[in-house]
Amino acid sequence: MPKFYARRRLSILAAFTGLIASVGLFNGPTASAALPTPVSAATARTYLASLTVATENRTGYNRDLFPTWITISGTCNTREYILKRDGSNVVTDSACAATSGSWYSPYDGATWTAASDLDIDHLVPLAEAWDSGASAWTTAQRQAFANDVTRPQLLAVTDNVNQSKGDQDPATWMPSVTSYRCTYVRAWVQVKYYYDLSVDSAEKSALTNYLSAC
């Protein structure tokens, strides 16, 4: 069992209870919120220092081992919830699909008015999570990770930018908008720390360098 469950005394039931509770804070068809504010750079540096450094192992990975998207509230699934949260003046139909709105992608600075132009990025990619500890989790734990709207882990971004990022970590990919990089690495470290995921040596070096400039 991942150590983060023992460290924080979280059960799967508690994790989902928290998820549903967070959804209850969202009301109406529009939202101006975005990625939950990550921990400070100082806290991220402390977290990073405590992470296990280990070689990554992709053996056995399959995206289907991380079920997405789950129903969050009513007819809204995780993708639809994040599109509402991250957009401006978002209007949805009875199935919770966004029919209009505006979305700013902080990775590349683009603004979109069609939901189809956006992907929901797993800031720490699912394959990266698998490589660094999630292979030992249960399917329910991986589902909680893949649909985590409480931590700074899910974000609406330009679809082809997300596809270009793929499963890369900060050693090989960073947002082209340099002013967003500090937010990105703070969020990355927070998620890895919360879920007790390891980092590889190149990843830790890159994170250390980026955080030193925050």
Side-chain angles (χ1 to χ4, degrees):
M1 177 180 292
K3 285 185 284 186
F4 78 90
Y5 278 87
R7 178 196 295 164
R8 295 163 182 82
R9 297 179 182 177
L10 288 178
S11 65
I12 289 299
L13 177 60
F16 279 108
T17 299
L19 180 66
I20 297 304
S22 69
V23 172
L25 297 176
F26 183 87
N27 293 297
T30 62
S32 58
L35 186 76
T37 302
V39 296
S40 69
T43 298
R45 285 190 286 268
T46 299
Y47 284 0
L48 179 59
S50 74
L51 295 182
T52 299
V53 179
T55 302
E56 295 182 350
N57 186 348
R58 186 64 56 92
T59 303
Y61 171 72
N62 186 316
R63 186 182 174 88
D64 291 342
L65 295 170
F66 293 80
T68 59
W69 302 111
I70 64 171
T71 299
I72 298 294
S73 178
T75 59
C76 301
N77 66 21
T78 312
R79 171 181 166 84
E80 293 157 347
Y81 173 86
I82 297 297
L83 285 172
K84 286 183 176 184
R85 187 198 70 184
D86 290 1
S88 298
N89 301 314
V90 178
V91 176
T92 59
D93 62 19
S94 59
C96 203
T99 57
S100 64
S102 177
W103 293 268
Y104 173 78
S105 170
Y107 288 179
D108 58 331
T111 297
W112 304 97
T113 56
S116 59
D117 288 320
L118 297 138
D119 279 354
I120 307 304
D121 180 43
H122 289 94
L123 194 134
V124 174
L126 303 181
E128 169 69 23
W130 177 273
D131 295 350
S132 50
S135 59
W137 298 354
T138 65
T139 299
Q141 289 167 337
R142 288 191 288 267
Q143 177 174 294
F145 175 84
N147 298 276
D148 187 350
V149 299
T150 304
R151 261 60 57 182
Q153 163 66 352
L154 296 173
L155 184 63
V157 299
T158 303
D159 53 4
N160 61 353
V161 171
N162 182 53
Q163 291 151 23
S164 175
K165 171 187 171 180
D167 58 10
Q168 297 180 81
D169 69 33
T172 56
W173 188 94
M174 285 291 283
S176 61
V177 176
T178 56
S179 61
Y180 197 72
R181 290 178 176 178
C182 183
T183 300
Y184 186 82
V185 294
R186 285 158 47 212
W188 183 283
V189 171
Q190 179 180 344
V191 170
K192 282 235 162 170
Y193 177 82
Y194 181 83
Y195 286 98
D196 202 23
L197 296 170
S198 63
V199 290
D200 64 38
S201 56
E203 176 188 356
K204 182 172 183 178
S205 178
L207 290 166
T208 299
N209 290 337
Y210 284 115
L211 283 171
S212 68
C214 288

